[in-house]
Amino acid sequence: MKVLVIGANGKTATHVVRLLAAGAHEPLAMIRDPGQRAKFDDLGVATVLADLEYPIDHAVKGCDAVIFAAGSGGQTGKDKTVLVDHIGAIRAIVSAQVNGAARFVMLSALNVDVNSQSRIAHYHRAKAHADNHLRETDLDYTIVCPGLLTDDAATGKVAVSAEVNGQGPTSRENLAAALVGCLDLENTVRKSFSLLEGDTPLDQALRSV
Amino acid sequence: MKVLVIGANGKTATHVVRLLAAGAHEPLAMIRDPGQRAKFDDLGVATVLADLEYPIDHAVKGCDAVIFAAGSGGQTGKDKTVLVDHIGAIRAIVSAQVNGAARFVMLSALNVDVNSQSRIAHYHRAKAHADNHLRETDLDYTIVCPGLLTDDAATGKVAVSAEVNGQGPTSRENLAAALVGCLDLENTVRKSFSLLEGDTPLDQALRSV
């Protein structure tokens, strides 16, 4: 499959692109800034310039799958959380529907809720709105909900659950492997699951969701 | 106040612009197509080119109020309903927040519901998501919910209710007068109300919500 990675320059997404490039699928790295291109050129990975605040159909067209790994991050205002994590994600979902990219893997988070009262409620609400929108489509979606992201090396051992609340660490490398792994596992379609560090080999865990 | 009218070329919104131009406020007509400009030039009304599928901050900047009267209409696909009526509206709300346009009058509809199962559920859901997003902001909003729009001349007589379900006709001229009238009525702030043809003089009705 040709797989568009949205937010490709992020830490987790860069791992995603590397794993895809080493595997059977063909990644297309969606980046916002031409200055981010060199990294992907070095990986031999094609890039497409697109911005979630603008139409992205030119990026999605011709792709079979989307991995949505974009995020406005903690350094921007709450307006960007709505523009990127909420309506930017919905825009990507609509573009996947219109352009026939039927497989959609969403990088979400634990504890997202449209009525969140958490310390980062604006983020948890935005993510929940996007996830809920995705669930109402007929796309072959998977929603992966990690905990606190770490830069620890992949252990290849995780814990998954259909219960997408809670807390704990998730290494970005394990997370990236899960996002990519879902593409080949039919059982993950139309599922949401939490992903934390744990004791179960990743592939076995993904097959259990 | 300087009032941005989003979707100005629509039937109701053109009435809105005319009423604003004849009154104490200064309209700015937001249009997508330069070909729509002549109509507003003839009215002596300033226009700004902007598209709800792209950032619109340049249009909102410097305005004190927004009247959102855009709609994807019944002739486009369901994707446009999401892109315009749902996330386009949320984009306008965010832009109003960021740019200090504190007064926001939303042209909504009766029977909107995020779980709508109506014949036009995709539309009712999209509008409900946008309205709910607006209610969660600190903007001075008013949400006006008309029934089936008609081209009948304004009677100046309406029926309003905080109950925003039901059905019945609403003339576009009465609706436009209500959208404009709200701008000067503090009691309509943070309210949602239905607007149907009725027996109560418009101003009296608006003061009762």
Side-chain angles (χ1 to χ4, degrees):
Chain A
M1 289 196 289
K2 185 171 175 184
V3 184
L4 182 69
V5 181
I6 297 182
N9 195 54
K11 285 185 183 181
T12 301
T14 298
H15 292 306
V16 166
V17 171
R18 275 204 199 96
L19 289 171
L20 287 168
H25 299 297
E26 176 193 350
L28 175 60
M30 180 173 136
I31 55 177
R32 203 172 42 159
D33 175 355
Q36 299 164 347
R37 188 170 267 157
K39 176 168 83 176
F40 298 100
D41 286 348
D42 290 347
L43 292 169
V45 168
T47 50
V48 59
L49 279 174
D51 183 329
L52 281 171
E53 294 189 48
Y54 294 77
I56 64 164
D57 290 329
H58 66 287
V60 178
K61 206 167 187 170
C63 291
D64 307 292
V66 170
I67 297 180
F68 187 93
S72 61
Q75 309 307 313
T76 56
K78 292 182 180 177
D79 57 315
K80 289 293 182 191
T81 307
V82 177
L83 294 175
V84 174
D85 304 81
H86 179 171
I87 69 174
I90 293 178
R91 178 201 290 286
I93 293 162
V94 171
S95 188
Q97 292 178 288
V98 169
N99 293 291
R103 190 73 174 97
F104 198 105
V105 180
M106 174 68 90
L107 170 45
S108 186
L110 290 176
N111 309 308
V112 311
D113 182 338
V114 296
N115 296 310
S116 174
Q117 301 291 335
S118 76
R119 190 180 50 81
I120 49 170
H122 65 291
Y123 175 72
H124 284 144
R125 290 178 181 214
K127 293 296 283 180
H129 281 296
D131 291 356
N132 288 346
H133 191 89
L134 181 55
R135 291 187 183 101
E136 289 183 10
T137 69
D138 56 2
L139 292 172
D140 296 331
Y141 71 80
T142 306
I143 299 173
V144 183
C145 303
L148 188 68
L149 300 182
T150 75
D151 288 328
D152 295 345
T155 57
K157 303 283 189 63
V158 299
V160 297
S161 167
E163 181 66 47
V164 291
N165 295 307
Q167 53 186 347
T170 304
S171 84
R172 290 185 171 90
E173 284 188 16
N174 275 344
L175 172 57
L179 295 168
V180 172
C182 288
L183 293 175
D184 293 317
L185 293 172
E186 190 72 22
N187 68 290
T188 64
V189 169
R190 301 193 77 78
K191 298 278 175 61
S192 307
F193 60 88
S194 67
L195 183 83
L196 293 168
E197 300 298 293
D199 300 319
T200 309
L202 178 65
D203 185 69
Q204 184 184 329
L206 292 180
R207 287 177 192 278
S208 75
V209 303
Chain B
M1 290 195 289
K2 185 171 173 185
V3 184
L4 181 69
V5 181
I6 298 181
N9 195 54
K11 284 186 183 181
T12 301
T14 298
H15 292 306
V16 166
V17 171
R18 275 205 198 95
L19 289 171
L20 287 168
H25 300 297
E26 177 193 351
L28 174 61
M30 180 173 135
I31 55 176
R32 203 172 43 159
D33 175 354
Q36 299 165 348
R37 186 170 267 158
K39 177 169 79 178
F40 299 100
D41 286 349
D42 290 347
L43 292 169
V45 169
T47 51
V48 59
L49 279 174
D51 184 329
L52 280 171
E53 293 189 49
Y54 294 77
I56 63 165
D57 290 330
H58 66 287
V60 178
K61 206 167 186 169
C63 291
D64 307 291
V66 170
I67 296 180
F68 187 94
S72 61
Q75 308 307 313
T76 56
K78 292 181 181 177
D79 57 314
K80 289 293 181 191
T81 307
V82 176
L83 294 175
V84 174
D85 304 81
H86 179 172
I87 69 175
I90 293 178
R91 178 201 291 286
I93 293 163
V94 171
S95 189
Q97 292 177 288
V98 169
N99 293 290
R103 191 73 173 95
F104 199 105
V105 180
M106 174 67 91
L107 170 46
S108 186
L110 290 177
N111 309 307
V112 310
D113 182 338
V114 295
N115 296 310
S116 174
Q117 301 292 334
S118 75
R119 189 180 51 80
I120 50 170
H122 65 290
Y123 175 73
H124 284 144
R125 290 177 180 214
K127 293 297 282 180
H129 281 296
D131 291 356
N132 288 346
H133 191 90
L134 180 56
R135 291 188 183 101
E136 289 184 11
T137 69
D138 56 2
L139 292 172
D140 296 331
Y141 70 81
T142 306
I143 299 173
V144 183
C145 303
L148 187 68
L149 301 181
T150 74
D151 289 327
D152 295 346
T155 57
K157 303 282 188 66
V158 299
V160 297
S161 167
E163 181 67 49
V164 290
N165 294 307
Q167 54 186 346
T170 304
S171 84
R172 291 185 171 90
E173 284 189 16
N174 275 343
L175 172 57
L179 295 169
V180 172
C182 288
L183 293 175
D184 294 315
L185 293 171
E186 190 71 23
N187 67 291
T188 64
V189 169
R190 300 193 77 79
K191 298 279 175 62
S192 307
F193 60 89
S194 67
L195 183 83
L196 293 169
E197 299 298 293
D199 300 318
T200 310
L202 179 64
D203 185 70
Q204 183 185 330
L206 293 180
R207 288 176 192 276
S208 74
V209 303

